[in-house]
Amino acid sequence: MSSKTSGLKGRAELGVALLLGAAGVLVFLDANGLSTPYSHTDPVGPKTVPFIVAGLLVVCAVLLAVNVLRGGKGEAEGGEDVELGHPADWKTVLPLAGAFSLNILLIDWAGWVISGTVLFWGSLLALGSRHYVRDGIISVLLSLLTFYGFYLGLGIALPAGLLEGIL
C-alpha cells in the first residue's frame, strides 16, 4: 500500500464530504439554470433558496473534510438493541427490497392503491407477521387512506391505475 492510501485508511467520511460537495455543486448548477422573469413584487426570487442550500452543502462538505483530515471520525453505533458483530438479516432485507421494487414496478400500471397494498402487505410479511387476512385488510385501508389523504389533504393525485373511474 502506498503512503498516500495508508494515510487515508479509516477515513471513509471523506467520501461523504465528497458526496456533499458534489450535491452542493449540482444544486448550484441546477438552480443557476432556472429561468426567472424579473418581478418587482418578489425581491427574493425562486433561485435564492436553492443557492442557500447549495452553499450550505458545500460549507458542510468542507467542514467535514477538514474535521476528518484533522483526525475526527464518526462514532460507532451505540444502540442497546444493535449487535454490531452480527451480519445483516437477509431473510428480512431481501423480501422488504422485493416489496419496494414491486411497488415501483406496479404503481404506474396498477395504481397506488394496488401497489401500496402490495408494499404494505409485503412489508408486514417480511417483518414476520403471519396474520394474513388482518394484514391484507389493514394494507388496503392504509393504501386507500394515503390515496385520499394525498388527494384531499394535499391536492396531489396519486395514480389510480386499474381503479381509474372507481376511486
Side-chain angles (χ1 to χ4, degrees), residues 48-134:
T48 304
V49 172
F51 282 150
I52 290 171
V53 169
L56 289 173
L57 282 168
V58 171
V59 167
C60 286
V62 169
L63 291 175
L64 178 60
V66 168
N67 183 24
V68 170
L69 292 173
R70 286 185 173 175
K73 61 181 180 178
E75 293 181 24
E77 176 68 40
E80 61 188 47
D81 60 341
V82 177
E83 286 293 331
L84 298 175
H86 289 268
D89 180 12
W90 293 109
K91 288 182 181 179
T92 302
V93 172
L94 290 177
L96 272 175
F100 277 94
S101 299
L102 202 54
N103 178 46
I104 291 168
L105 293 172
L106 288 176
I107 194 164
D108 286 332
W109 175 73
W112 167 252
V113 175
I114 294 171
S115 71
T117 299
V118 169
L119 172 69
F120 296 138
W121 194 65
S123 298
L124 287 167
L125 282 174
L127 294 172
S129 179
R130 296 297 174 246
H131 301 279
Y132 305 115
V133 175
R134 182 195 68 188

Side-chain angles (χ1 to χ4, degrees), residues 112-113 117 120 139-149 163 167:
W112 167 252
V113 175
T117 299
F120 296 138
S139 297
V140 169
L141 291 175
L142 270 175
S143 295
L144 284 168
L145 199 116
T146 53
F147 182 84
Y148 285 114
L163 300 176
L167 299 173

